[in-house]
Amino acid sequence: MQPSRPVRLLRTVAAVGVLAAGAVACGDAGGLEGAGSTPTATSPAKLWPDLTPAASPAWNYDNGESEAMEGVTAPGDDIRKVDPVAVVKAEIAQHPDEYAGSKAQYRETVRRMAYCGKKPADDRCPLLKAYYRDVTGDGHADLTLGFRLLPGNQTAVRVYTVEGGRVVQVMSNDDAVSSVELAGHSVIIHAPSDLADYEYRFQWTWDPEQQVMLLTHDEMLHNGRRERQSTPTVSPSASP
């Protein structure tokens, strides 16, 4: 026979009383604790309100610039039908001051381009794998290229789209690259920093009004790669 509801209630109250007494005896473990005082929120303070605003940038970020690759066309406006090797060679031809000559900054890149386009692939080719994704948002694939800038340790990252059958470069970035990501209409470039445990992060995003990719984010981030300190060795003669 099951006990009536009042008897069950009395037993429950008694059990709660025993548990409460045990909690007090154990120092109230697991109870709520105060987190301390909350810092007061402050609004940004504008400095030097009388300072005359600058009218032009201090240096060129290569923003808002596009360049058609001369002699390179996309059959049927399909950039997948364009040879990536031809695209890089067009850039080299259009910028001889950076690539041509024994004293050019990226002269070794030109020499090694002779190894590109071969089957099987030659490791000496500076051109990296081509990626096709709609970065500009027009419903058609765009071309993202990377190639080594030799003899240094930089990597060129480029994005090309098609405009009226022409192949047009809409993003250009040269840096010592750690990794590159494509996210939506953005290209995200990670680059090493001189400061330990930090890296640079650059985000280039397609701007439909300017019809180019703009540097929309430039920041330094903690990468969480701090090396673990080795455990010190204890001498056998040392006391515990």
Side-chain angles (χ1 to χ4, degrees), residues 31-32 65 87 90 98 116 124 129 150 169 173 186 211 231:
L32 297 176
E65 297 180 358
V87 175
E98 298 179 2
C116 297
R124 290 171 291 184
K129 177 183 177 180
L150 304 170
Q169 182 187 99
N173 184 87
S186 297
Q211 291 293 296
T231 303

Side-chain angles (χ1 to χ4, degrees), residues 191-193 195-200 220-226:
S193 165
L195 191 61
D197 304 320
Y198 282 84
E199 68 174 9
Y200 292 109
M220 177 181 283
L221 299 176
H222 190 273
N223 56 24
R225 297 178 182 175
R226 181 177 288 111

